[in-house]
Amino acid sequence: MAINADIFYKAALKYTQEAGQLIREKISVVNKTVEIKSCEIDLVTETDQQVEKLLIGNLSKEFPDHLFIGEESVANGTKCNLTDDPTWIIDPIDGTMNFVHRFPHSCISIALFINKKPEVAIIYNPIIEQLFTAKRGHGAYLNGKKIRVSGENDLSKALIVMEYGTSRDVEKLKVVAANQDMLMSQVHGIRALGSAALDIAMVAMGAADAYFEFGIHIWDIAAGELMVTEAGGVIMDPSGGPIDRLSRRILVASSNSLAKQLSEKLIQYYPTPTD
Ligand code: IPD
Ligand code: CA
């Protein structure tokens, strides 16, 4: 049976915009109360928790049979389990480190998966008013205007986004640095926004050509998956194989050919649960 995602999309948009108000208000606070999660650069603020509570509270009232995977709920012990049931995957603030420092690139990332496929996705940066939206089969949009990937297929002309992530694992950092060193002289440039969801959105809108990361979580990339594929891009494992959303590895690109060139060059890293 065809899924009518409109009702889900409208509800997600309403509550995401409402929650965005909290981020907009709180980003300018200078000394935010910050707690540490898995390590000293994996942070959470009161606002992360409030946004997640607002989204899950309202969506679960509207859709009582839906399930939720939320970054902060998982941090507090809820199981991270993706089944075929309708499941909202939520990162209440992607780019928490940016939020803490008032660097204006943080967003809410929210997606609804049904039968393990993304149907609806929103990535919303309320600080600079970038609202990325997508519904399966209906394209991807930035502030209501259709977006497309660049289609770049030459690595030497590509702008690549990559991140160091939120782990201090020495082996992992060595691999990330080695990849950066290796790519620097072979591409147009390297960037990092500090938010996986916004990094993917940059590829979706054609402002960057590819993004990869080792150590991300499903809530960082769930909305980005639909955004970039609806914009004509590809998503896969950094080795070039199919994406495993729980493997904590991702590569997105503006074309298959670019993804292949990048995956063949990348030094691979397989995160452990503590990375
Ligand atoms: C992090 C950001 C960052 C990425 C990390 C993520 P958070 O999410 O997306 O860009 O490099 O891997 O954990 O902690 O800000 O929600
Ligand atoms: Ca995140």
Side-chain angles (χ1 to χ4, degrees), residues 71 91 93-94 219-220:
E71 176 170 15
D91 191 336
I93 302 184
D94 188 43
W219 45 80
D220 300 314

Side-chain angles (χ1 to χ4, degrees), residues 37 42 48 71-72 90-96 107 109 166 194-197 216-217 219-221:
K37 295 195 287 184
D42 184 13
D48 295 67
E71 176 170 15
E72 306 316 332
I90 299 172
D91 191 336
I93 302 184
D94 188 43
T96 299
C107 64
S109 171
T166 48
S195 156
I216 42 82
H217 290 91
W219 45 80
D220 300 314
I221 60 170

Side-chain angles (χ1 to χ4, degrees), residues 42-72:
D42 184 13
L43 309 177
V44 59
T45 69
E46 206 182 30
T47 312
D48 295 67
Q49 278 150 353
Q50 281 169 348
V51 168
E52 184 157 322
K53 209 168 147 206
L54 187 155
L55 292 171
I56 296 183
N58 284 300
L59 288 169
S60 61
K61 261 188 230 142
E62 287 212 20
F63 311 114
D65 56 335
H66 287 193
L67 305 178
F68 293 87
I69 296 174
E71 176 170 15
E72 306 316 332

Side-chain angles (χ1 to χ4, degrees), residues 60-116:
S60 61
K61 261 188 230 142
E62 287 212 20
F63 311 114
D65 56 335
H66 287 193
L67 305 178
F68 293 87
I69 296 174
E71 176 170 15
E72 306 316 332
S73 313
V74 172
N76 290 331
T78 305
K79 263 205 145 155
C80 177
N81 196 13
L82 183 60
T83 64
D84 284 344
D85 293 330
T87 303
W88 294 91
I89 306 182
I90 299 172
D91 191 336
I93 302 184
D94 188 43
T96 299
M97 184 62 84
N98 288 347
F99 178 72
V100 167
H101 287 268
R102 296 175 284 140
F103 187 79
H105 291 283
S106 302
C107 64
I108 296 171
S109 171
I110 177 166
L112 176 65
F113 277 60
I114 302 177
N115 296 320
K116 298 197 183 78

Side-chain angles (χ1 to χ4, degrees), residues 133-141 146-147 226-227 230-231:
T133 54
K135 275 184 277 178
R136 170 174 295 281
H138 292 87
Y141 294 80
K146 201 159 192 170
I147 51 174
L226 190 62
M227 209 62 68
E230 284 297 319

